[in-house]
Amino acid sequence: MRVTMRYGAIALAITLVVVLAIWPFATAFVNQWAQRDVEMRSQMLFNAARDQVLSLQGPEDGPRLTVLMERLAEDEGVLAVGLCESGTLRLASSDMPEGFACEQIAVGAGEVFTRADYAGIRAMVAAYPLSAPAEDVRFVILHDYADVEERRSQARIFLLLAAIGVAFGGAALASLVAFWIMRSWTISVRRAIEDAREGRAEDIKHTPTEIGTEIRAALSELDFARRSIDTVHTEWNPETLRIALANELPGSEVIVVSNREPYIHNRDENGEMIVQRPASGLVSALEPVTRACGGTWIAHGSGTGDREAVDGNDRVMVPPSSPAYTLRRIWLTDEEQEGYYYGFANEGLWPLCHIAFVRPVFREPDWRMYQKVNERFAEAVVAEAKRPDPIVLIQDYHLALAPRMIRDRLPDATIITFWHIPWPNSETFGICPYKEEIIDGLLGSSILGFHTQFHCNNFIETVDRVIESRIDRESDSITLKGYEAFVRPYPISIEWPPAAMEGQKPVPEARKAVRKRLGLPEDVQLAVGIERFDYTKGILDRMHGVDALLTAHPELIGHFCFMQAAAPTRSKLANYKSLQEEAEALAREISERHGGPFDVIQLVARHHDPEEVFELFRAAELCIVSSLHDGMNLVAKEFVAARDDEQGVLILSAFAGASRELGEALIVNPYDAHAMGEAFYWALTMEASEQRERMRVMREQVEARNVYRWAGQMLLDAARLRKKQRIMRLIEKERGRAQG
Ligand code: G6P
């Protein structure tokens, strides 16, 4: 409706301009025409009467001539007729104005027209010679000038209407053509948007589009606005995540890909099948999300009972208690594991990306195995995909090459790759002999996520240094091989409320139970550290912190204990084995040196299930997370989530991504043992009210920025990207069609 009005107004404006432009010419034309009209009618009247008038020139013809004149004067628009002889009016019809005088008529050889005013009666006088000029007999016809005027204004009106008609017709026709062109354009764009919304699969040709930068800018502004709206307003939980997925990506297929599997079937020493949840931040985060979204999770089957648990297609539904998604296992030979997992991923990329001063090792055979296993995962994705455009969520540094391999096989897939560990600066990454291939592999992604903006910046900087590509720093995107990958920060988190909180004892009971289990007096103050036995976690450093605490405050001996729960991990690797040995020795040494009724450092090197971990968190006065470098660290967030009593203090490394979000923790430098000792003391002596205030703020933070939000934001970004790509493609197509 608004569009129609706009075109109407345009047509009107064009009409007005046309009419104003032609009006002076039109008026002159009408005046001329009116004059000619009178002249013609006059001439016709005279022609018709001339012979009769000439035949009535005898002396007794006067009355008959008068009758004739009366009749002629009745002609339309004629005022009067008369006969002038030598300048005198001989005869005239009765309406001849009183002031008429023959002398006033100009003398000429032919007809003469004069305009005259007889006491308010305006006339146009035509005089026709009836004889030679010498005798000067003229037949005079007076036309009513008012009649002339009326005809003239009538003609003007007709002309005006005609001009308007023609101009409006032309303008309307032009507007109609423009409207039709715009309408077909709009319809095609609208169709494109609808297609995108309905998730209709279209052929994606990953060629750089030539759509105007204005459209691109408008779309990215739209993106930005929506992004802020989501961030501020949505309360994320499994239900909202499911709704977001159903609304924004209707009918889409989600495939998660990671090295570590969410459920490990193991046969224990008695031959019993047990299902274990691995100690992995990646798994803690992704598992609740996959439970909410459904779909397929492809991972390495590493458990001793894994093969028995799957069906003929290597699939098993999990969680075992209430199946919600398919786990598709991939089998790796020992040789493959050696090269791909232990070698390239954990001796090469892991130390490369963490600043823990452990030298990365790159071996060519490991690299080949890494490529081969990445191929295996990519093939499994293609085999599992039921549609040509699945949403593939690739996890972590084990699978850096998989995004490109999947993109090559499924060009329409939306690939979101999340890098769970830090990304080092470009100089550090530059030492990797396969840096170009790794970056090329990652840039097969549609979206590449890191925990922090800092790591995004490091990645973009590395790309800039390592390969030839087009980097757009406004939108943080990188175009390589005609495909644009967006680099975005998504701080990972945990589910809220955590499943492990279900069935937890009240805090006083948990305190009692844990102290009893550890053989500690009930009133002892307990600090806990819980993680994998990894050199990036700063386990030795926190022990030095405990040492510093007890050295400065020996009065705490017998009243304080530090319990370190450490799950053995990657133990085949020398660095991990030696760390465990070193930690055990250090714990013993510090405990012995400070003495007391019980070991001040208790190191429990075994896997703890989430329920046990949460019980420990609830029993402790404080939790220490002293990572030397960590992408995020979910232990910090789990401790906060476990403390529904709003008590307990978190000591957190400044080098863990979590410190950006949990500012109410006591933030420490793990390399500074003295400062860590002081932080321990501060935590142990902190008033309950201060603990409550800090804990409350942190709990609000973790609750709001939970893992459903993490996944939701990635999926919403993916949805926008899919829509944007479809619109762009259809506009391209439409343009191509329009250009013939
Ligand atoms: C880190 C990595 C994960 C990995 C986890 C456990 O959190 O980012 O990808 O799963 O460590 O390590 P593991 O080698 O046992 O899988």
Side-chain angles (χ1 to χ4, degrees), residues 260 279-282 341 350 396-398 420-421 532 569-570:
R260 185 57 65 201
S280 157
L282 177 159
Y341 173 76
W350 180 267
D396 232 348
Y397 60 99
H398 311 89
H420 288 257
I421 62 177
R532 290 180 305 109
T569 175
R570 310 171 193 168

Side-chain angles (χ1 to χ4, degrees), residues 18-328:
V18 170
V19 169
L20 284 177
I22 66 166
W23 194 239
F25 305 101
T27 313
F29 169 77
V30 166
N31 289 346
Q32 233 176 19
W33 170 84
Q35 175 85 22
R36 288 284 309 140
D37 180 56
V38 176
E39 286 174 9
M40 268 168 61
R41 285 195 293 140
S42 192
Q43 184 75 53
M44 277 163 66
L45 190 65
F46 172 67
N47 289 347
R50 185 172 48 193
D51 291 347
Q52 271 189 290
V53 173
L54 283 173
S55 66
L56 294 173
Q57 291 302 310
E60 60 285 353
D61 289 336
R64 286 175 62 200
L65 192 58
T66 310
V67 172
L68 176 65
M69 284 184 171
E70 288 299 345
R71 224 181 49 232
L72 291 173
E74 282 171 10
D75 214 274
E76 194 194 347
V78 175
L79 199 59
V81 294
L83 200 62
C84 289
E85 271 184 24
S86 305
T88 310
L89 185 66
R90 199 183 100 200
L91 275 173
S93 61
S94 53
D95 286 342
M96 181 62 80
E98 276 189 18
F100 176 79
C102 289
E103 310 89 79
Q104 290 163 350
I105 306 164
V107 180
E111 70 272 30
V112 175
F113 287 88
T114 321
R115 208 185 290 174
D117 194 338
Y118 305 106
I121 302 172
R122 289 160 69 219
M124 180 98 162
V125 185
Y128 298 93
L130 276 177
S131 58
E135 291 170 31
D136 194 19
V137 181
R138 286 168 181 262
F139 189 74
V140 181
I141 305 172
L142 274 72
H143 288 271
D144 187 353
Y145 201 76
D147 184 60
V148 176
E149 287 279 81
E150 198 186 313
R151 281 171 161 272
R152 190 182 287 173
S153 59
Q154 266 175 4
R156 266 202 215 117
I157 289 170
F158 286 139
L159 197 73
L160 181 69
L161 289 177
I164 289 176
V166 169
F168 192 78
L173 198 69
S175 304
L176 212 67
V177 171
F179 175 68
W180 181 79
I181 292 171
M182 284 308 291
R183 196 161 162 271
S184 42
W185 173 263
T186 319
I187 287 171
S188 65
V189 170
R190 195 174 300 147
R191 207 187 304 137
I193 294 169
E194 274 162 16
D195 278 357
R197 183 169 296 141
E198 284 163 20
R200 241 174 265 156
E202 289 284 337
D203 13 330
I204 299 177
K205 303 263 183 318
H206 298 296
T207 51
T209 67
E210 287 167 3
I211 294 298
T213 40
E214 281 168 40
I215 295 176
R216 284 180 194 283
L219 286 168
S220 42
E221 268 170 33
L222 184 80
D223 266 5
F224 181 77
R226 284 187 185 162
R227 181 189 287 270
S228 359
I229 290 167
D230 297 337
T231 312
V232 176
H233 296 289
T234 310
E235 192 183 294
W236 287 101
N237 55 44
E239 198 45 36
T240 49
L241 181 62
R242 264 193 294 270
I243 292 170
L245 195 65
N247 286 348
E248 299 298 318
L249 294 159
S252 43
E253 182 186 11
V254 177
I255 303 177
V256 178
V257 197
S258 73
N259 171 69
R260 185 57 65 201
E261 58 182 340
Y263 293 91
I264 306 176
H265 287 86
N266 272 325
R267 284 253 171 235
D268 68 9
E269 50 283 4
N270 308 318
E272 287 285 315
M273 184 73 99
I274 50 162
V275 182
Q276 221 179 30
R277 297 276 306 278
S280 157
L282 177 159
V283 169
S284 314
L286 256 293
E287 208 282 329
V289 169
T290 320
R291 238 187 294 136
C293 300
T296 302
W297 185 328
I298 301 173
H300 168 217
S302 56
T304 50
D306 273 354
R307 282 178 193 266
E308 290 172 62
V310 295
D311 64 14
N313 295 310
D314 300 327
R315 297 185 190 131
V316 56
M317 289 297 288
V318 287
S321 50
S322 52
Y325 61 95
T326 306
L327 171 59
R328 156 76 202 275

